[in-house]
Amino acid sequence: FNEKIHRSQKPLPVLEHFLQMFVDDTTTMADFTCGSGTSVITSEGLGAKSVLGLEIDPEIWNQAVSSYKSWRQ
């Protein structure tokens, strides 16, 4: 996941460092301004029970969904 989609996108290793303090297999995570979806991807990768990402910009949303699907494969 190296493609930059959103202007405020954070690198996955940075998010993982921060989110590992809070996310485990009991976590239900919602990001209501998910942008590129990196927080959703990271939380799921850390084993979150469920994740939800919402984004108002349709173009950014479509790119985030595409990145998420690629990451899942």
Side-chain angles (χ1 to χ4, degrees):
F1 193 91
N2 295 323
E3 180 184 343
K4 189 146 180 151
I5 295 171
H6 194 271
R7 66 183 172 276
S8 63
Q9 182 173 325
K10 312 300 182 283
L12 292 178
V14 172
L15 288 172
E16 184 173 352
H17 175 77
F18 176 72
L19 291 174
Q20 70 183 347
M21 294 183 268
F22 307 102
V23 175
D24 62 23
D25 61 351
T26 65
T27 301
T28 299
M29 187 281 232
D31 185 348
F32 298 103
T33 57
C34 78
S36 63
T38 53
S39 60
V40 172
I41 290 169
T42 302
S43 295
E44 187 167 317
L46 290 169
K49 179 179 176 182
S50 63
V51 295
L52 170 68
L54 303 174
E55 175 55 47
I56 196 167
D57 183 322
E59 183 178 330
I60 298 293
W61 169 252
N62 287 330
Q63 291 176 339
V65 169
S66 177
S67 293
Y68 176 80
K69 287 179 179 179
S70 293
W71 174 81
R72 294 278 296 170
Q73 292 179 352

